[in-house]
Amino acid sequence: MESPSAPAYRGLVPRQGLLLAASLLTLWSLPTTAQLTIESVPPNAAEGKDVLLRVHNLPGNLIGCIWYKGEIVDTSHRIISYVIDTQTTTLGPAHSGRETIYPNGSLLSQGVTLQDTGYYTLLATRNDLQHAQVTGQLRVYPELPKPNITSNNSLPEEHKDPVVLTCEPQVQDTTYLWVINSQSLPVSARLQLSTDNRTLTLLPATRNDTGPYECETRNPVSARRSDPFTLNVVYGPDAPTISPSDSHYLRGTNLNLSCQAASNPPAQYSWLINGSSQHPTQELFIPNITSNYSGSYICLAHNSVSGLNRTTIKTITVYEPVGKPTLRASNATVTEHKDAVVLTCLTNDTGISIRWLFNNQSLLLTDRMKLSQDNSTLTIDPIRREDAGDYQCEVFNLVNSSKSEPFRLDVQSEQKDTGYSVGTIVGSVIGVLVVVALGASLGYFLYLRRTRRPGSLWNLCLPGPPTRPEDSRPHLRGITPPKHRGVLPHHPQGRRGVLVPPGPETPDPVDVACAREPALSVMLSEISQWEKDKQHMISLICAI
């Protein structure tokens, strides 16, 4: 700030000096509405800057003004005086060479220092030798330097060593603030601040106390913040983690394991396989593994600063590939609501599990389906139409699986009679009547058979036209000679059939045909014997 132009220095007139000295004994009071006051501009001054002590409500008819350092009027603390009518300025013992007084009574102090801080008193004298006195305050603060953080321990161990952080430098009338991870200091029993907040103590340090830390200094004229400070806390190693998490591998694949443990400084790693030491490494790679590589894998993590070791064990199992199973069925074609089917999955592998597929989807079991204890047998009882489709069994272990060829199960519908047609009913009635008639004929036939001579044969004829008088043969009365051998066109028994016993006048039974009507004659020449047994004769009768 540039100082305003000040009046030229002139020597003090002896009379005026006496008046001023005498005036020290008498003061007057100004009205309340025109109270004499002093304002510091700015209110808080930075060291090295200019400050103006501005006077308000200065009364009229003044002879002059005098400024003093302190709260009392003391000649030894006089800074400067001013006589208005002669515009002369006189320097006092407390003048530092940087103070200037203005005609309105204001005092300019240039390049203030911390020693300028304090109270200043103004004495104003009127021409009636009455005086007014007022005191103001000048506040000077230093421009704060950029702070920095120091630590009493560069490598504290977790849960073991306390750490004291200090914000430097120490400056009077300065407020200290701490920031962790860009946030205000949290409330914690492990975090303790000194009375002036300049030191921060961690009891004890943990890995979460790493930071970064920042300290900030403030006063009324400036605020400065330090660079981030990161606390290097030694911790770990924690129990290492082995990845991937898989513990089951297929023979012929590659084994690639990685070990990781939280540690500061970073951990050093080594492996043991089935108790045998391996080269120190964090990554373990074994190509084309066999069952010989099944067993325990131990990862060891070591912290070179803390000297601590932690281990983790992982069990690896190497499996052989599973073979293709075979599906066997008790029946490929079954009838709905009647039959049952048993499907069996055959495999030579051990240590495997079995699941069933239906139409290439996982089989959903119903209350009609039952699996054996090892799932190798599936029973469906009874079968239904919706059970038709492709069945497969799949064998698997933890790393490999194989499916059987699909088996097609066909389900036939059950045949059921739901009613009878009119034609069927009529035909049934006629059939019953025919069976009754034929049954009577059969009874007669059986009777004659019991009474015939051994070796004789019987001829069967159905009813024909009425008996003709010209036929005089006793056994075939009314039957005309056949037109050709073996044909009997008519019969004398009307609509009833008769059994004709064999005799010299009857045709050879092999060549005899019996008919109701000539047009419906049936040749029986293919029958070599008529009396093989009763069942043969009955079936022949029913067929006619």
Side-chain angles (χ1 to χ4, degrees):
M1 174 188 296
E2 296 182 358
S3 61
S5 59
Y9 173 79
R10 296 181 182 180
L12 183 64
V13 178
R15 175 179 174 275
Q16 294 171 332
L18 293 174
L19 290 174
L20 289 173
S23 66
L24 296 177
L25 303 176
T26 306
L27 298 175
W28 87 92
S29 298
L30 295 174
T32 304
T33 57
Q35 187 68 41
L36 184 64
T37 59
I38 297 175
E39 177 191 8
S40 175
V41 182
N44 300 302
E47 187 178 16
K49 303 298 183 179
D50 297 343
V51 180
L52 178 66
L53 295 178
R54 179 179 294 170
V55 179
H56 295 280
N57 301 320
L58 189 68
N61 302 322
L62 290 179
I63 297 175
C65 298
I66 303 175
W67 281 95
Y68 297 89
K69 180 73 178 290
E71 298 181 79
I72 60 175
V73 175
D74 185 348
T75 304
S76 63
H77 293 164
R78 183 167 54 89
I79 300 171
I80 194 170
S81 62
Y82 178 73
V83 178
I84 294 176
D85 58 353
T86 62
Q87 298 184 3
T88 58
T89 299
T90 301
L91 304 180
H95 193 276
S96 66
R98 296 177 288 105
E99 293 85 8
T100 302
I101 191 170
Y102 291 93
N104 64 0
S106 297
L107 178 67
L108 174 67
S109 181
Q110 296 176 302
V112 294
T113 66
L114 295 179
Q115 290 72 25
D116 295 329
T117 299
Y119 291 95
Y120 290 78
T121 299
L122 171 66
L123 183 68
T125 303
R126 294 193 315 189
N127 55 12
D128 59 358
L129 301 183
Q130 296 294 312
H131 303 282
Q133 181 178 326
V134 65
T135 298
Q137 186 176 10
L138 176 61
R139 300 177 180 87
V140 181
Y141 297 92
E143 284 280 0
L144 295 175
K146 183 176 182 178
N148 66 286
I149 299 175
T150 60
S151 173
N152 70 325
N153 193 336
S154 59
L155 283 176
E157 290 190 30
E158 184 179 35
H159 306 303
K160 180 179 179 181
D161 297 331
V163 175
V164 178
L165 303 178
T166 304
C167 188
E168 301 287 359
Q170 185 176 11
V171 182
Q172 288 183 339
D173 300 325
T174 299
T175 301
Y176 293 87
L177 300 174
W178 289 90
V179 176
I180 301 178
N181 295 319
S182 301
Q183 296 181 352
S184 299
L185 194 67
V187 177
S188 173
R190 294 190 308 103
L191 303 179
Q192 297 181 359
L193 287 170
S194 61
T195 304
D196 60 357
N197 287 0
R198 183 168 167 255
T199 61
L200 173 63
T201 303
L202 288 69
L203 295 172
T206 69
R207 69 186 67 184
N208 297 326
D209 297 329
T210 300
Y213 294 81
E214 295 173 276
C215 75
E216 184 175 303
T217 56
R218 293 180 181 179
N219 64 19
V221 297
S222 64
R224 301 294 299 274
R225 181 174 288 196
S226 69
D227 291 330
F229 175 85
T230 300
L231 191 61
N232 191 12
V233 180
V234 176
Y235 61 86
D238 294 347
T241 300
I242 300 176
S243 59
S245 58
D246 295 338
S247 298
H248 309 281
Y249 290 83
L250 184 64
R251 175 177 57 82
T253 58
N254 298 332
L255 179 62
N256 191 358
L257 300 178
S258 176
C259 190
Q260 183 67 46
S263 177
N264 183 41
Q268 300 170 346
Y269 300 93
S270 59
W271 291 86
L272 286 83
I273 302 178
N274 292 329
S276 177
S277 298
Q278 304 295 313
H279 293 295
T281 180
Q282 186 175 2
E283 303 282 341
L284 181 65
F285 178 76
I286 304 175
N288 195 23
I289 58 175
T290 64
S291 57
N292 295 331
Y293 287 95
S294 295
S296 63
Y297 288 69
I298 300 176
C299 171
L300 185 145
H302 172 71
N303 188 316
S304 60
V305 175
S306 66
L308 298 177
N309 297 307
R310 297 293 297 274
T311 60
T312 293
I313 185 171
K314 185 182 187 70
T315 301
I316 298 295
T317 305
V318 180
Y319 292 86
E320 296 291 328
V322 298
K324 188 173 184 177
T326 301
L327 183 58
R328 179 178 297 172
S330 60
N331 199 349
T333 302
V334 290
T335 301
E336 184 181 20
H337 303 298
K338 178 180 179 181
D339 295 334
V341 67
V342 179
L343 304 177
T344 304
C345 189
L346 304 177
T347 177
N348 294 325
D349 293 299
T350 60
I352 50 90
S353 299
I354 300 176
R355 56 175 164 246
W356 290 85
L357 305 174
F358 177 64
N359 291 333
N360 209 30
Q361 300 288 333
S362 294
L363 177 65
L364 299 178
L365 294 177
T366 66
D367 54 355
R368 298 177 293 102
M369 298 179 180
K370 182 183 296 184
L371 287 173
S372 61
Q373 186 173 2
D374 60 356
N375 285 4
S376 63
T377 300
L378 171 64
T379 303
I380 307 176
D381 185 15
I383 207 75
R384 289 184 181 176
R385 186 177 307 175
E386 58 265 25
D387 298 326
D390 291 331
Y391 288 81
Q392 288 176 281
C393 70
E394 182 180 15
V395 296
F396 62 94
N397 54 31
L398 295 177
V399 296
N400 188 229
S401 65
S402 181
K403 298 178 183 178
S404 68
E405 291 294 333
F407 169 78
R408 182 71 180 179
L409 179 65
D410 293 324
V411 178
Q412 296 179 350
S413 298
E414 183 180 15
Q415 298 297 328
K416 294 183 178 180
D417 293 334
T418 59
Y420 300 95
S421 63
V422 175
T424 302
I425 296 175
V426 173
S428 299
V429 172
I430 296 175
V432 170
L433 296 177
V434 171
V435 168
V436 170
L438 294 179
S441 300
L442 178 61
Y444 182 67
F445 166 76
L446 294 177
Y447 168 77
L448 295 178
R449 180 179 180 182
R450 291 190 187 97
T451 58
R452 67 180 174 84
R453 67 181 180 274
S456 63
L457 296 178
W458 294 84
N459 295 322
L460 175 63
C461 293
L462 289 177
T467 304
R468 295 183 180 181
E470 63 269 17
D471 193 338
S472 59
R473 287 179 296 183
H475 298 292
L476 295 178
R477 188 173 303 163
I479 299 178
T480 57
K483 297 180 180 180
H484 56 82
R485 189 173 183 264
V487 176
L488 298 177
H490 305 287
H491 195 274
Q493 299 299 321
R495 300 302 298 174
R496 294 189 308 166
V498 296
L499 289 173
V500 182
E505 298 182 1
T506 62
D508 189 343
V510 177
D511 298 324
V512 171
C514 298
R516 300 175 187 223
E517 302 294 341
L520 299 178
S521 62
V522 178
M523 296 299 297
L524 303 179
S525 59
E526 295 181 358
I527 301 178
S528 60
Q529 295 181 359
W530 279 35
E531 54 177 3
K532 288 182 179 180
D533 51 37
K534 289 187 294 182
Q535 287 78 10
H536 190 175
M537 183 61 68
I538 293 173
S539 63
L540 180 62
I541 295 171
C542 292
I544 299 173

